[in-house]
Amino acid sequence: MKVQALERASVSADEEFREDPGPDPRPEPRGDARPQELLGGLRAAGELGLRRGEFARAVQLGLVRAGPRAPSGAARFARAELERVRAREGFPQALREQVETVAGADAGAGVLGIGPSRFTRLARCGHLIPVGYRVNRYRAVVWIYLTAELREFAAKEPGMLTGAAPPQDRELVLAGADLRPRRWRGRHVGLLLRRTADPWERAAVLASVLPGSEVRLAVPDPAERIVLAALAPPPPYGHPQAPAAAAVADRLLLAEPPDEVHWYRTSLDFALTGARGQSNSTGERGPT
């Protein structure tokens, strides 16, 4: 882990798409190498013909890969990456279809051609995995789903759209289970891990979904905890800023069921072993 990690500023996911200050100025390279042109999020979204939310979703899903960050911490995107995206078959319609979403049970049920109550049961039982969330004015969580995934589910599982619920679902309903937060966290963590190969950043992703007490047990060294906190991913795009709504949404970010906490704790232990081993092999120590 590089010492510079401690100097990295914390940037919220929304701030990554703030007003574009223009191409990143870089010194003239030596030889034949050419500096890559880096664009801010808003400009990159415009060049791909995407709205802000669509572009944020494309970045989240790994459809558009971010480049080196600006000194301010804002995300930047290489022009070569935008050209790669534009060169994909079916652009731009195919990309828009990949990032299209619906929010709430009514809209999701409309895509599947079922009633909202059945949609809610399918989602609560873990058959439909949210890709995001928002908190409405009543401080209720509204889950967001990829339209393409809902259509894929309807094509693969037509039997789930009619008739009685399977026994396992009935047990979950009777127990009052709601797997939506857990399934969303699993997806969110997986997407974040796919976006970095840095061992300390990967450990920070896993630590970010654990309660503070678990992190202190897993990472007794305060200096290492400072590094993990500095590298922690920002809340996802659309996370509310208003304190009352943020308090509701913040609870979604942390693992809660004991078996889920245990899974992330075990994964963090494994990730830290690898991160510490790499630091020792390179002569660098993460928390220095």
Side-chain angles (χ1 to χ4, degrees), residues 5-283:
L6 289 174
E7 301 172 355
R8 185 176 306 180
S10 176
V11 181
S12 75
D14 287 320
E15 288 174 325
E16 290 188 343
F17 300 96
R18 59 177 175 259
E19 187 65 30
D20 178 16
D24 190 26
R26 289 173 179 259
E28 288 296 325
R30 297 179 179 179
D32 296 331
R34 296 181 180 180
Q36 61 175 336
E37 183 181 0
L38 298 172
L39 308 178
L42 288 177
R43 184 172 172 187
E47 295 210 1
L48 293 179
L50 298 177
R51 294 188 295 270
R52 182 181 179 185
E54 292 174 328
F55 183 75
R57 194 71 64 199
V59 174
Q60 175 198 13
L61 297 174
L63 302 174
V64 179
R65 301 182 298 240
R69 288 184 177 272
S72 65
R76 293 294 179 111
F77 301 86
R79 182 169 294 282
E81 171 65 7
L82 304 184
E83 293 173 353
R84 181 193 70 82
V85 174
R86 279 197 293 260
R88 294 181 61 187
E89 184 178 357
F91 178 86
Q93 185 58 32
L95 179 59
R96 291 197 184 103
E97 291 175 355
Q98 286 179 289
V99 299
E100 181 185 0
T101 59
V102 292
D106 288 342
V111 174
L112 295 181
I114 59 178
S117 60
R118 180 180 290 269
F119 181 92
T120 299
R121 191 257 296 169
L122 290 171
R124 290 176 66 98
C125 293
H127 300 292
L128 307 173
I129 305 177
V131 72
Y133 58 80
R134 61 180 175 83
V135 178
N136 65 20
R137 60 179 177 173
Y138 304 108
R139 301 182 191 175
V141 176
V142 179
W143 293 103
I144 299 171
Y145 303 86
L146 288 171
T147 304
E149 287 188 351
L150 296 183
R151 290 174 178 151
E152 182 180 358
F153 176 81
K156 288 185 176 181
E157 302 288 350
M160 299 290 288
L161 306 182
T162 60
Q168 183 177 2
D169 283 10
R170 290 199 295 269
E171 292 178 6
L172 289 171
V173 171
L174 289 174
D178 186 354
L179 301 183
R180 290 174 294 184
R182 179 172 184 162
R183 298 300 297 273
W184 173 80
R185 281 190 294 270
R187 174 177 218 157
H188 179 59
V189 168
L191 290 170
L192 290 173
L193 292 176
R194 283 170 51 189
R195 288 162 59 178
T196 180
D198 181 272
W200 282 97
E201 287 186 356
R202 294 176 66 84
V205 168
L206 295 164
S208 69
V209 294
L210 283 171
S213 59
E214 290 291 335
V215 175
R216 288 189 291 272
L217 288 173
V219 192
D221 185 343
E224 286 188 344
R225 292 201 300 272
I226 292 174
V227 170
L228 294 179
L231 295 176
Y237 178 79
H239 192 81
Q241 302 297 313
V248 174
D250 286 346
R251 294 196 292 269
L252 303 175
L253 303 179
L254 295 180
E256 185 175 0
D259 61 325
E260 184 190 13
V261 171
H262 176 74
W263 191 91
Y264 284 119
R265 168 69 187 275
T266 302
S267 299
L268 175 60
D269 290 341
F270 182 80
L272 285 171
T273 299
R276 291 162 178 156
Q278 185 184 73
S279 297
N280 292 334
S281 67
T282 59

